[in-house]
């Protein structure tokens, strides 16, 4: 994972999509906990469409592939989730435009760009922008591991651990505006669904990437 190709990009996106579909019940249950019914189920439905359309996506380059994913998501996922996830993928695409092969810095740039897209388009203070509660520190951890000389797989594993720690920690954050987070009001004792989603996605991706390397 030190250098990434189009095939690697496809692998990551497919893992994200399959995770969203497979965890519909968990993310949907989180909807009920925090009252943000647009998050989990629309996420699963949208990525089901991505998987169904998988053979038809433009594969000219990693950026073109991500851009097509963004357009499908924006147009086919309902509520606030479609524009948010679509913008995240579109910004990630723009971060690596014109590149056939991606290195660790490019991956970090894509993650940072995706986070900026979520900040720009997220409207919900629950399921949407809470993605950042785990995504931002996980990206920081991923970059720090790479800077310390770790390979991409080790960096991804560390990012997954940090995402899970931050997701678990959201259950204990006092609900108040201005807390050290990217979210607004939320009931104490309930996890942020976006943070949980990021943790679940990164954990699965880390496992699948490790298994792929072992082949």
């Amino acid at each position: 994972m030190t250098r990434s190709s189009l095939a690697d990009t496809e692998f990551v996106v497919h893992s994200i999509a399959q995770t969203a579909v497979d965890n519909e019940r968990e993310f949907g249950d989180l909807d009920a906990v925090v009252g943000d019914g647009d998050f989990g189920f629309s996420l699963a439905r949208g990525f089901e469409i991505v998987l169904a359309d998988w053979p038809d996506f433009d594969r000219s380059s990693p950026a073109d592939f991500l851009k097509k994913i963004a357009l499908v998501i924006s147009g086919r996922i309902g509520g606030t989730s479609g524009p948010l996830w679509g913008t995240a993928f579109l910004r990630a695409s723009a971060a690596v435009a014109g590149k056939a092969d991606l290195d660790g810095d490019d991956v970090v740039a894509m993650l940072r760009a995706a986070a900026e897209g979520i900040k720009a388009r997220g409207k919900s203070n629950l399921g949407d922008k809470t993605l950042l509660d785990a995504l931002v520190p996980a990206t920081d951890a991923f970059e720090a591991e790479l800077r310390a000389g770790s390979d991409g797989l080790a960096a991804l594993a560390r990012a997954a651990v940090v995402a899970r720690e931050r997701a678990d920690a959201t259950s204990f954050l006092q609900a108040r505006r201005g807390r050290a987070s990217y979210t607004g009001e939320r009931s104490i004792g309930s996890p942020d669904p976006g943070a949980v989603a990021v943790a679940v996605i990164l954990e699965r991706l880390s496992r699948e990437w490790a298994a792929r390397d072992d082949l």
Side-chain angles (χ1 to χ4, degrees):
M1 197 176 166
T2 303
R3 296 196 68 83
S4 299
S5 63
L6 173 61
D8 297 327
T9 305
E10 290 185 61
F11 184 89
V12 170
V13 175
H14 194 279
S15 181
I16 292 171
Q18 194 65 59
T19 303
V21 172
D22 291 348
N23 287 274
E24 175 184 348
R25 180 176 297 277
E26 178 180 0
F27 297 161
D29 288 345
L30 287 169
D31 292 346
V33 170
V34 299
D36 186 19
D38 182 49
F39 182 74
F41 292 115
S42 62
L43 188 67
R45 295 288 76 78
F47 278 110
E48 273 186 349
I49 295 169
V50 167
L51 293 175
D53 292 348
W54 193 257
D56 301 325
F57 292 130
D58 186 345
R59 287 169 166 79
S60 302
S61 69
D64 290 330
F65 177 73
L66 290 171
K67 182 177 181 180
K68 183 60 178 177
I69 295 287
L71 294 176
V72 170
I73 289 174
S74 296
R76 305 292 288 276
I77 298 182
T80 61
S81 294
L84 182 142
W85 282 85
T87 300
F89 275 96
L90 191 62
R91 296 264 184 118
S93 169
V96 294
K99 295 188 175 184
D101 294 310
L102 312 178
D103 60 19
D105 288 338
D106 293 321
V107 175
V108 171
M110 285 193 294
L111 291 169
R112 301 280 186 212
E116 289 303 315
I118 293 169
K119 289 179 186 179
R121 294 303 300 267
K123 295 180 181 179
S124 168
N125 282 329
L126 296 169
D128 287 337
K129 285 191 175 180
T130 61
L131 290 160
L132 300 172
D133 282 345
L135 179 58
V136 172
T139 301
D140 291 341
F142 181 82
E143 183 175 20
E145 286 292 318
L146 292 180
R147 297 285 179 265
S150 299
D151 62 19
L153 180 57
L156 177 59
R158 178 58 185 161
V161 169
V162 169
R164 173 56 65 182
E165 291 173 348
R166 298 306 285 266
D168 290 346
T170 61
S171 295
F172 306 101
L173 292 172
Q174 180 68 43
R176 63 177 184 276
R177 293 201 180 278
R179 68 181 173 86
S181 175
Y182 301 91
T183 63
E185 299 286 354
R186 186 184 53 74
S187 299
I188 190 168
S190 62
D192 287 343
V196 171
V198 171
V200 172
I201 286 169
L202 289 178
E203 286 166 347
R204 177 170 181 157
L205 180 58
S206 179
R207 291 194 303 269
E208 291 182 344
W209 202 288
R212 182 187 190 217
D213 279 0
D214 288 340
L215 295 178

